[in-house]
Amino acid sequence: MPGRVMALAGVTFVQLVRMRLFLVLAVFGVAFMALQFLPYHGHLGVETRGLHQLQLIKDVALGCMQMFGLIFCVGATALLIPRDTEDRILYTILCKPVPRFEYLLGKLLGVWGLLLVMLLLMDGMLMLILKLRVDGMVAEMIPLLQKQGATPEQMQPYIEHVQAAGNSWELQHGIMAMYLGFGVLTGMTLLFSCFTSGTIVSMIFGLGAYFVGMFQGQLFSGILAGTGSLGTGQGMELCRHAVAVLLPDFSIFNVADTASSGVPFGWGMLGSLALIALGYMVLHLLVSAMLFSRKEF
């Protein structure tokens, strides 16, 4: 029933907010304010002045989002079931006509909802800082170009170049892909928490699965390069595809850094990533529900 699922999602959302996760946003905002005072590279020409700072701001912001999302997805999701069990909320919910599948789905929606809100707020901070930085760069660039005798028509390409180096759709697409990867990681961590014995173990499994998924392409490539045998190579390729069915290749969602550099990243590729993420989310949710239904509380 959608009503029960949304009620569980709302309770989970409020429960996570009470963990004071908004303090991360305060740290994020202070870090961004510090980036505002980074000096320009004085040895750069007028047409490229400050562009490195724009790229640095984007790289630092995306790194903070990645780190926050990783810690939040693994930590918050691993705490859901143990916290409800400790507070005896789980017993109150399950003694009512609430299927365990709906309970897990509500928990996931609550985590995804709060994660979306936090990423949107951090993205808004990033857009604001980039807008202020670009406006300041353009305001400093115009007098310098005028001193060199440049006409408004000659200045326009430089101004457009600086504006394009700020916020862009490619950057936003990269952040959307990052959110999809976090959604998959949340579902996988919930799956681990359904059969592990504690929060710490679930977090270790979640972090381990993430890092193995990030580097599984390099791992199998190294194994294939070391074998040298065609038959063994084909077997390892089949093994890689079998592992990818359950353990996602998280590197395909890690495109924000590339997108922030201006590499084209269209809606078609984002849609493909969304379908892949949806498939993993559904698979992990179904397996979690099957394991959770066998647990006795």
Side-chain angles (χ1 to χ4, degrees):
M1 296 294 291
R4 289 199 296 258
V5 173
M6 296 310 298
L8 288 168
V11 171
T12 305
F13 186 93
V14 174
Q15 182 182 12
L16 293 175
V17 169
R18 288 176 179 173
M19 294 181 183
R20 302 183 184 275
L21 294 175
F22 59 86
L23 294 177
V24 177
L25 292 177
V27 176
F28 195 80
V30 171
F32 269 17
M33 292 301 296
L35 289 176
Q36 277 288 84
F37 299 98
L38 287 175
Y40 290 118
H41 289 293
H43 63 278
L44 297 177
V46 176
E47 66 278 3
T48 59
R49 182 170 298 183
L51 295 182
H52 288 70
Q53 268 66 30
L54 288 177
Q55 189 61 43
L56 177 61
I57 290 174
K58 292 188 286 186
D59 291 342
V60 172
L62 293 174
C64 291
M65 290 181 184
Q66 190 76 27
M67 181 179 64
F68 163 75
L70 177 61
I71 296 174
F72 175 81
C73 290
V74 174
T77 309
L79 282 171
L80 289 178
I81 297 178
R83 179 68 63 88
D84 283 358
T85 305
E86 180 182 351
D87 297 339
R88 307 194 69 82
I89 298 176
L90 180 62
Y91 305 103
T92 304
I93 294 175
L94 295 183
C95 71
K96 298 178 180 180
V98 178
R100 299 193 178 192
F101 175 82
E102 293 183 1
Y103 170 79
L104 294 178
L105 179 58
K107 289 295 179 181
L108 282 179
L109 291 178
V111 177
W112 291 336
L114 184 57
L115 178 63
L116 177 61
V117 171
M118 302 290 276
L119 282 180
L120 287 175
L121 291 175
M122 288 189 286
D123 188 24
M125 292 182 192
L126 174 59
M127 293 174 62
L128 177 61
I129 294 298
L130 289 175
K131 180 67 168 56
L132 295 175
R133 193 70 162 186
V134 167
D135 291 343
M137 289 172 55
V138 172
E140 292 183 4
M141 180 183 297
I142 291 177
L144 294 175
L145 290 174
Q146 288 176 343
K147 288 182 180 179
Q148 295 181 0
T151 63
E153 291 77 13
Q154 293 173 334
M155 288 189 293
Q156 190 61 30
Y158 297 130
I159 295 175
E160 292 177 354
H161 182 52
V162 171
Q163 292 174 343
N167 192 29
S168 62
W169 276 113
E170 285 77 15
L171 176 61
Q172 297 303 314
H173 290 165
I175 295 176
M176 294 177 193
M178 183 189 301
Y179 176 72
L180 293 174
F182 289 152
V184 175
L185 179 60
T186 301
M188 177 168 287
T189 306
L190 184 66
L191 170 61
F192 292 142
S193 67
C194 288
F195 66 84
T196 53
S197 57
T199 303
I200 302 299
V201 179
S202 299
M203 294 176 64
I204 293 175
F205 272 60
L207 291 173
Y210 176 78
F211 286 111
V212 171
M214 281 290 294
F215 300 105
Q216 68 172 247
Q218 294 88 328
L219 175 63
F220 281 100
S221 297
I223 295 176
L224 287 173
T227 56
S229 173
L230 179 60
T232 306
Q234 292 176 346
M236 291 302 301
E237 189 68 17
L238 291 175
C239 180
R240 184 179 70 85
H241 289 302
V243 171
V245 172
L246 294 177
L247 183 61
D249 184 0
F250 286 102
S251 63
I252 65 176
F253 301 103
N254 190 25
V255 295
D257 293 332
T258 305
S260 68
S261 303
V263 177
F265 185 77
W267 288 102
M269 183 175 292
L270 185 63
S272 300
L273 291 178
L275 291 176
I276 295 174
L278 180 61
Y280 278 117
M281 291 175 190
V282 172
L283 175 62
H284 294 154
L285 179 59
L286 292 177
V287 177
S288 300
M290 181 184 66
L291 295 174
F292 194 64
S293 63
R294 299 182 179 181
K295 297 189 69 171
E296 296 182 0
F297 296 98

